[in-house]
Amino acid sequence: MPRELRYCRPRRDPDESLLAYLSTKFTYLAETQWRQHIAAGDISVNGETLTDGSYVLRQGDMLRFAPPRSFEPPVDSKHIEVLYEDSTLMVVTKNGNLPVAEGGRYCENTLVEVLRRRGAAAFYTASTRTSFAATHEDTEKVSDTLTHAGKIAEASVRAEGSTAMDACGKGAEIATSSPSRRRLEDGLHMTSAAGSAPCASVPLSGTPTVQQRSPLDLFTVQRLDKETSGVVVLAKNSFSARTLASRLEAQTKGCTDAVESRLRERGHAVALSSDTFDELVRLKAQSVHKTYTAVLRGAAPEDHTFVVVNYMDCMAKHPTHSWEAQHTQLKKLKMCCEPMKEMLFSHAAASLPKPPKEQQMRWGKLAVTRIRVLASNRKLGLTCVQVELLTGRSHQIRLHCAAVGYPVLGDKLYTTTTPGREGGATAVSDAVYLERVRREDDPFLPIEDDVSGAGGTSRNGKMWCRRHLLHATRITFAHPDISPARLMTFMASPVPFFTADVRFECEEDSSLFSQWLTRAVSRPLERAETSQN
C-alpha cells in the first residue's frame, strides 16, 4: 500500500533535499537505503517519479512512496490466536516482532493486514469463542486462566451457573483444563468446552457463517509496540473503536485529576501508596483495566512494590534534553520523565486559583505505574514483575521500569544509569538505537552484564534477547454494544512468548529461566484464589 504525505517545514528552516528529508525524518532506513529506493523509482513528487535525491522540496509538495513488498522486514505471525469474535469486536493475542497496524517500514506485514488477508477463522483454536447474535444478553464474562505449563491461556465465555452452550447448542460443563491448541479447519468446526469431538458449527438464524461474512474491516482500539506481545482488542466499525478509545481517554484524564487531587491534599510530592493505587483502580472498574507482565534486568527485592508517579513527555518538548546532540535525530520518538516538584502540591498552591493554561509552565503529563515484583532470580540476574497503569502514556512501562533501576530485558531504547536505584532512567543515543534495530541478519542482541548494582548475575554463560520482554497479560473492559454494561476479561500467559525470544549459552540456564518464569506468572492466580477463599 503506497504512502502519501504533504511536505511542510517551518518557514525559518533552510531548504532541504528529498534525500536529506527522507533520511532524517524516517530513520527506519539508512541514507544509503533511501538513495537506493529513489534510484529504483519507488518515490514520486507531485505525480512525477524522481531518481535524483538532490531535488529541493517545496512547501506543499505531495510525496508518494510505493515500496515493493520485499521492502518490509519479515514478521512472525505463527502465534496469532483469536480469543473472541463477534459482530463488533475481535480479541486477539499476538507475538512480539509483529506491529499491530501500519507504521514505519510496515504496511502489509501487520496484525491487522494478516487478519484481513487470511481471515480471522484461520487463527481460531479449540478455545476460541464466537457470538454473532443480534444481542449479547447471554454473554456475561469471557475469561481464561494462566496455565502452570505456560501455554497460551483459554478464553471462555462464562455465564451464571455451571453450564455453557457448546458450538452445537447443547449444555456442557465448562472444562477446567485448557483444551489443545489445534487449528480449526476453515472455521467451520468448533470443539465444545468440555473437550468433546469437533462438531459442525450451527450459525444462528439470519447470521452469516464465517465464509459468508464480508472481508474484515478492523480498527485499532489500543496499540501495543511492535515488540510487545499479548492481548489486543480490535473493533470492526469506527463507532465501536471510538467508543472504547474515548473510554480510555476519559479514564486517563479522570485518573490524572484524581491523583493530582490526592497529592495536593497531602501537601507534598510523595509517591502514592499501593493501597491508594488500588482505591483508584476500583474507581475505574467499569471501564478498561490492563495488566502487563515483564522481565527486568537485575534482581529486585522479593515481594517489593514500586508505585511510580512523575511527569513524562517526548524529548523534543523537554527544555534540556531537546538540545542534546546524541538525541537530535530521534528526539520525537524518545520519551523522558521528571519527578514532581514540591511546590506543585503545596497547600498554598492548592488554595490558589489555577492560572490560565497559557501561563502554566509545567512540563509533561502525569504518569502513574505500579510495578509488583512477582519473583527475582539472582543467578540469572532477572526479575519478573506485574505492571498496572493508571495512565496510558507512550513507552510508560518501559521508561518507569528503567526509572526504578530495573530496565526491561531486551529494551533497545531505554536503560538506567543507576542500576538497582531510582532516578536514572535514560534513552540510549541515536546511533546505538539505530544500530540495534537495523540488525536484520541476527535480531538476537547480547545482554551485557552491567547490572551489578541491581543484584549481579552468576549464570553459567551468555544470554541473548530478540525483543523487550513485555507482555499484555490481561484486559478487562465493558462491551460497547451490551446494555447494561457487562465486563469481559481476557488473559494470555507470557511464558511461551518470553521463552521463545531468549537464548542462553548454557542449557541449564535456559531450563532454569523457563521453570522460574512459569512459577512467577502463576503467583497472581494463587493470590486471587487465596483472597476468594
Side-chain angles (χ1 to χ4, degrees), residues 97-147:
N97 191 38
L98 179 64
V100 174
E102 176 182 334
R105 297 181 64 179
Y106 298 90
C107 183
E108 299 292 333
N109 292 348
T110 66
L111 174 65
V112 168
E113 290 302 322
V114 169
L115 290 170
R116 282 174 176 165
R117 285 197 305 270
R118 299 180 58 184
F123 301 98
Y124 279 12
T125 68
S127 59
T128 300
R129 293 294 177 265
T130 60
S131 176
F132 292 99
T135 63
H136 299 270
E137 294 180 357
D138 294 332
T139 302
E140 184 173 50
K141 185 178 181 181
V142 180
S143 64
D144 67 351
T145 304
L146 291 171
T147 62

Side-chain angles (χ1 to χ4, degrees), residues 52-234:
D52 185 2
S54 62
Y55 170 82
V56 178
L57 293 170
R58 296 172 295 182
Q59 292 281 21
D61 277 351
M62 181 61 71
L63 279 66
R64 187 175 188 270
F65 180 35
R69 180 68 183 277
S70 58
F71 163 76
E72 296 189 44
V75 295
D76 181 9
S77 60
K78 296 179 181 178
H79 303 293
I80 298 175
E81 282 198 22
V82 175
L83 300 180
Y84 175 80
E85 183 183 10
D86 62 23
S87 57
T88 302
L89 297 176
M90 184 185 300
V91 183
V92 184
T93 58
K94 85 172 190 73
N95 47 268
N97 191 38
L98 179 64
V100 174
E102 176 182 334
R105 297 181 64 179
Y106 298 90
C107 183
E108 299 292 333
N109 292 348
T110 66
L111 174 65
V112 168
E113 290 302 322
V114 169
L115 290 170
R116 282 174 176 165
R117 285 197 305 270
R118 299 180 58 184
F123 301 98
Y124 279 12
T125 68
S127 59
T128 300
R129 293 294 177 265
T130 60
S131 176
F132 292 99
T135 63
H136 299 270
E137 294 180 357
D138 294 332
T139 302
E140 184 173 50
K141 185 178 181 181
V142 180
S143 64
D144 67 351
T145 304
L146 291 171
T147 62
H148 293 277
K151 294 182 178 180
I152 294 179
E154 172 191 7
S156 58
V157 179
R158 299 185 184 276
E160 289 185 359
S162 60
T163 63
M165 299 301 292
D166 65 6
C168 294
K170 301 177 181 179
E173 293 290 328
I174 296 179
T176 57
S177 61
S178 178
S180 61
R181 296 183 56 218
R182 60 180 178 272
R183 298 292 181 194
L184 304 181
E185 296 182 359
D186 300 327
L188 286 177
H189 295 84
M190 295 291 289
T191 301
S192 72
S196 60
C199 55
S201 177
V202 181
L204 296 172
S205 176
T207 303
T209 63
V210 173
Q211 281 85 354
Q212 293 172 337
R213 289 196 297 274
S214 59
L216 288 172
D217 193 10
L218 299 175
F219 299 82
T220 56
V221 175
Q222 103 279 10
R223 289 197 180 194
L224 298 180
D225 290 339
K226 167 181 168 283
E227 295 191 2
T228 302
S229 56
V231 183
V232 180
V233 180
L234 301 171

Side-chain angles (χ1 to χ4, degrees), residues 508-530:
E508 179 184 348
D509 290 338
S510 179
S511 177
L512 175 61
F513 175 76
S514 179
Q515 296 172 11
W516 165 75
L517 184 62
T518 301
R519 289 194 300 268
V521 299
S522 67
R523 294 190 65 183
L525 285 179
E526 294 172 357
R527 290 173 179 171
E529 292 173 358
T530 302

Side-chain angles (χ1 to χ4, degrees), residues 317-333:
K317 299 180 181 180
H318 195 275
T320 302
H321 295 309
S322 60
W323 298 98
E324 295 176 354
Q326 61 178 339
H327 304 303
T328 302
Q329 191 174 2
L330 301 176
K331 61 184 178 182
K332 292 185 178 180
L333 166 70

